[in-house]
Amino acid sequence: MATLLKYQDFNCNCVIEPRHTLLDYMKIERPTGNMEKEIMKWTNIKSQGEKDSLNTLSKQVNLNTTIIESGYKLIPARLADSIVRIKDRDERIRVMDSLCPKGFMALSKPFFNKSMDTVFIQIDNMPYSCLSMPISLYYYLNNDWIINY
């Protein structure tokens, strides 16, 4: 995650505290989608139990220190939720701009395969939109994480 945050060209300066796993986001955003099957295929997961076990591992990942050490301002999830609940759109934008003038980014917690050399992450630099977040796939190769677009 540190490599992703360090080397990707994100325009924002704040990251909302990650609280959902990739699979959790998929259930929220794509309840009828087929992406979960694709992820199981890419990660060579054979059973629902394996998938659930890896998702439980993903839930335990805490990215807060990594986010801060990568130079981003961490926005607590509760604060982000309270901003979303501001009914007046102009006030909501004013609050968001005052906290993070360059914008927000939301990340899922990473979902690894069993050998921990492939990871899926959802990244959204426009949180709270009605569009689903893109899924990024990274491979660990030659001591470095490589994105597969």
Side-chain angles (χ1 to χ4, degrees):
M1 287 304 296
T3 301
L4 165 72
L5 292 170
K6 185 175 180 181
Y7 294 114
Q8 290 294 323
D9 187 24
F10 298 120
N11 295 325
C12 59
N13 61 329
C14 296
V15 177
I16 296 171
E17 179 181 22
R19 60 183 159 189
H20 297 294
T21 69
L22 171 72
L23 296 182
D24 293 341
Y25 271 124
M26 289 173 50
K27 288 176 186 172
I28 294 166
E29 295 184 351
R30 300 176 176 104
T32 59
N34 201 21
M35 199 61 201
E36 191 170 319
K37 289 180 185 175
E38 289 296 314
I39 288 174
M40 288 180 72
K41 182 175 82 174
W42 277 86
T43 54
N44 201 26
I45 296 171
K46 303 291 185 204
S47 71
Q48 184 71 30
E50 263 185 301
K51 182 189 73 161
D52 292 344
S53 176
L54 290 167
N55 197 43
T56 298
L57 178 66
S58 182
K59 288 178 183 185
Q60 296 171 9
V61 173
N62 185 331
L63 298 174
N64 295 357
T65 301
T66 301
I67 289 166
I68 293 167
E69 289 176 355
S70 297
Y72 291 87
K73 180 178 179 182
L74 180 68
I75 303 300
R78 285 185 176 183
L79 176 58
D81 289 343
S82 69
I83 293 169
V84 170
R85 286 192 291 271
I86 298 173
K87 293 187 190 290
D88 182 86
R89 182 179 185 274
D90 292 336
E91 176 64 12
R92 186 172 54 246
I93 291 170
R94 188 194 65 70
V95 170
M96 290 170 64
D97 286 346
S98 69
L99 278 173
C100 296
K102 292 183 179 180
F104 291 80
M105 174 174 41
L107 301 172
S108 71
K109 292 187 175 196
F111 183 81
F112 289 93
N113 65 347
K114 291 183 289 187
S115 58
M116 306 292 275
D117 61 359
T118 301
V119 65
F120 288 89
I121 304 165
Q122 280 191 296
I123 305 166
D124 185 5
N125 62 2
M126 295 180 61
Y128 312 116
S129 70
C130 60
L131 303 173
S132 62
M133 296 190 290
I135 297 173
S136 298
L137 169 64
Y138 293 84
Y139 293 102
Y140 194 70
L141 185 64
N142 298 326
N143 296 321
D144 201 6
W145 286 99
I146 310 298
I147 190 167
N148 180 19
Y149 292 101

